[in-house]
Amino acid sequence: MARVVLTAPFDARFFGGVGELEIPASDLFALVRALDLRAPGFALAVEEGGLLAVDGEAAADWSVALRDDAEVLVVPRIAGG
Amino acid sequence: MKMAVSTTVNGDPRAFLCEPGETLLEALRGTLGLTGAKEGCGTGDCGACTVMLDGEMVCSCLVLAPEAEGRRVETIEGVAEGSDLHPVQRQFLEHGALQCGFCTPGFIVAAKALLERDPDPSEHDLRYWLAGNLCRCTGYDKIVRAVQDAAAEMRQQARGDAA
Amino acid sequence: MNAQSGHNAYRVVGTRPVRPDGIDKVTGKALYGPDQIAPNMLHGAVLRSPHAHARIRGIDTSRAEALPGVKAVITARDFPGQESVTFKGGETSGDRRDIAHNCMALHKVLYAGHAVAAVAATSEAIAREALALIVVDLEVLPHVISVAEAIAPGAPVLHDDMFTEGLEPKPAQASNVSATFTMAKGDAAAAMARAAVVAEGRYVTQPVHQGYIEPQACVASWNSDGQGQIWCSSQGHFDVRNLTAGILNLPISSLRVTPLEIGGGFGGKTTVYLEPVAMVLSRKAGRPVRLAMRREEVFAATGPAPGSVFEVRIGADADGRLVALEMEFWNQSGAYPGNTLHGGCATALGAYNIADARATGWDVVSNFADTHAYRAPGAPQSAFAVESCIDEIALKLGMDPLELRLKNAVKPGDPSPSRLPHGAIGYIECLEAAKASPHWNTPVAEGESRGIAGAFWGNYGGPSTVAVSVASDGSVAVTTGSPDIGGSRASMAIMAAETLQVPYESVRVAIADTASLGYSMVTGGSRTTFATGKAVVDACGQIIDSLLARGAQLLGVEPGEVAWRDGAVHCMAAGREGEKLDMAAIAGRVHQFSGPVSAEVQLNAQGYLPGFGVHICDVAVDKETGFTRVTRYTAIQDVGRAIHPDYVEGQLQGGAAQGIGWALNEGYVFDGAGRVDNAGFLDYRMPVCSDLPMIETIMVEVPNPAHPYGVKGVGETSIVPPLAAVGNAVSRAVGKRMRDLPMAPEVVHRALAGA
């Protein structure tokens, strides 16, 4: 069961500001699919402007297997020039 | 109606046709194929198009091409002697005095002109001489140091030649 | 300050060789965007709206088309229709419809300078003559420029389908507020109420332009079989390809973009303006078309950084510990939604441990050019407000402003704005370096005053593709997809030479066109030396593995009996220790092995770390005229590891100079009709050589463990502190807090008169 920590703007926009969710998922793709079922549009939003971090490290590859007690943070991706 | 212009560019005689309203910069970059001088503004504010006309530094975007008739034009392409770089060019490379390099031809032509009339300029004089050349990348620090070192190198060389 | 553990272990990293593209650039040979020509090329020109806001009722191009020499005239009707879909592609993501309509207005013009039609002709003079023959029937609408105008009740709305994103529930009415974003932790209001001292104020900045000296230019050729080519300079030709193909509904691989040398970008060349237009002209004319902007078009029609209004309060306890931050800000974006709210919030919360903080930003569109990224987008404005308040707190508490920052600065392990713990950051080290610097330890000169400010910028990593190949003589070719704006070819060659243990000169670096290598994200977000450099090092590692395996076979020993040293395979088998094979001896034998020695690496680089900097600025303010001269300036920054120190120092100096310009001189001025009134270098006054002193640099090296040589992004951080460093110096000179930029002489003069 991964613990998902949601931050602005994703939390308010898709999950009513719950802050955290427990989601069973084998990897980040599965996790995002599961979250998108609860809140349609979330997957697209996170693909376009989100960054996922697993246990305090930004995730480069969503296909890496998630540990059972992983903490996944959903934050906006920053832009640069 | 095109005008015929005969001029000398970097020591070579060149003849070309141009519109009466064409600028020297347009003729250099277009007809003559010398794209080393750059157009940053077209209004004489950035110095990227700096060339020498009869030994005087000019913004070639403010000179009409027909004005080059019978005169001597020197551009960035003529600064090095064959494959031997001028001390200003070499010091620009040694100091990393360029980032994007777009303003560099104008700076090199202007700095060479300064050192030909003043072999030992103060930092103050150097900065005011180069104030007509805009660089957005470097903050000018390394450019100033490069020109100072080129000046020192040229003075040394002149002493050596005199001895 | 440069000494850190292990630095001496490097042979090439940290040295200052001449850049590989150097001679081309000091002799005028290098080809930039405006230098490209193609056989049988036509010259194009773009007709731009003189009005800031108008509805297009009709465009009559018939007289222009009839002009001899004109080969094509186009309007937005010649572009495919667009739906509002977000592009994906790292930092170039944006709304496809907005980018298309910014290239060519469809129903409405949203700023003076907005393209409405374009012509291709046999000469530029004829193309410009033809522009005058195009009749555009415009219904002029009221316009808005300032944030106050744009958010006023009853203000003319730019986009009638724009509803503020981030508000729940979704607003019922369209407005000019495109989005809102909040970053918060704890209870800022309650903590503020307990603070012993509070500094607060309203800080205002104007839109400023990146000011690259090379105007945008391109040549495009689009054939009837659907294949096209573009030659242009940009910060990312793969994204030029993706954006242009998206706008034209082309398969991405049908478009090949060849990068030319780029004459400065600073974030402004991470999007497209001309390329889709030149493509459509080329298709219609059946010939290649060149388009180049004039300087006034660059100012009026390419994206400056947004202006901003910040309302900020920062509270501290009596010991100088920062306890609360409350910030609300409005970004004065241009014609389409901006993208700097997150950067503004993160910078406000990024540098100091403030337990209770809340930052809310509002993105507001208005009738000037679509704003775009400019070096650490959103951060300089935010740091100006925050670092000015911190200076005020230091004054109120009678504390040294540097000590106050040291007391509150973030350390590794402290929470970052994203809530992830900070990694191996070096803000404390920067502040300590500032404290030990010659500048800080020199008393302020008579008649002058000194300011100091810190900074945070997040940086980025992201996708890059790199190929490394060994030629049959053992020389090495490195190919990347990352345009080189400031000397990155030199740093790639250094990292490859270091890894392979070969001389710098035996490695040559080229930047491939989009058909010759896989995708790389833009050179932006301070990512290239970090992310693309990491790929170069990884690829060189694969080359070494391949040469070791082949070398062992050639030597007839076990794979474990060879070692890589000094660019050669050394035999370690007992009794054969002196034997070795150099790269040529192995790489030349392509016919006896599975193929040439080459490696391609693709990665999505993570582990990037934020940049921290501290700038110290001395100014002399002329009390009679209000003119401010910067007399001494030092830029200190944690750079992770300086691969080529000249070009790292150059990034620090260049960012400082741009920031000084932003603080003292630069800013868009609009006339009553909403036109940019200073759209040229004479009136938009960027710093020139005689305006500045030498810019001293101190490179602090706290290596990034996620990069093989410890690299951190360096390009953007340096523009974040100067606004406040200069502002704090001028405020101390004037005896009054300076909260409006630019601090032009008349502004300072007024402050002096009123003080």
Side-chain angles (χ1 to χ4, degrees), chain B residues 29 36 38-40 76 89 93-94 96 98-102 127-128 131 134 136-142 144, chain C residues 19 22 26 32 34-35 209-211 213 262 264 295 374 485 646-647 649-650 653-654 666 687 689 692 694-695:
Chain B
R29 291 178 50 80
K38 305 299 181 194
E39 179 168 324
I76 182 67
Q89 292 174 312
L93 295 180
E94 289 298 330
L98 60 150
Q99 284 175 35
C100 80
F102 193 78
R127 284 185 179 273
Y128 275 85
L134 281 177
R136 191 58 157 174
C137 296
T138 66
Y140 305 103
D141 182 297
K142 291 180 189 300
V144 172
Chain C
R19 60 196 283 168
V26 299
Y32 291 82
D35 301 332
H209 200 269
Q210 297 84 352
I213 313 294
I262 172 171
R295 178 55 53 181
Y374 179 22
I485 309 191
D646 277 348
Y647 294 106
E649 290 163 0
Q653 292 165 333
E666 296 180 33
C689 199
L692 296 173
M694 292 295 188
I695 296 169

Side-chain angles (χ1 to χ4, degrees), chain C residues 272-288:
Chain C
V272 293
Y273 297 102
L274 299 177
E275 290 81 359
V277 179
M279 283 283 283
V280 174
L281 284 170
S282 172
R283 183 178 53 182
K284 203 159 183 177
R287 288 166 66 173

Side-chain angles (χ1 to χ4, degrees), chain C residues 426-474:
Chain C
Y427 193 29
I428 297 279
E429 288 82 349
C430 288
L431 289 161
E432 294 288 0
K435 203 166 142 183
S437 68
H439 189 165
W440 193 249
N441 288 290
T442 306
V444 182
E446 180 70 30
E448 297 187 2
S449 61
R450 179 169 293 165
I452 186 167
F456 162 90
W457 175 246
N459 287 333
Y460 199 65
S464 287
T465 307
V466 152
V468 176
S469 57
V470 183
S472 56
D473 64 353

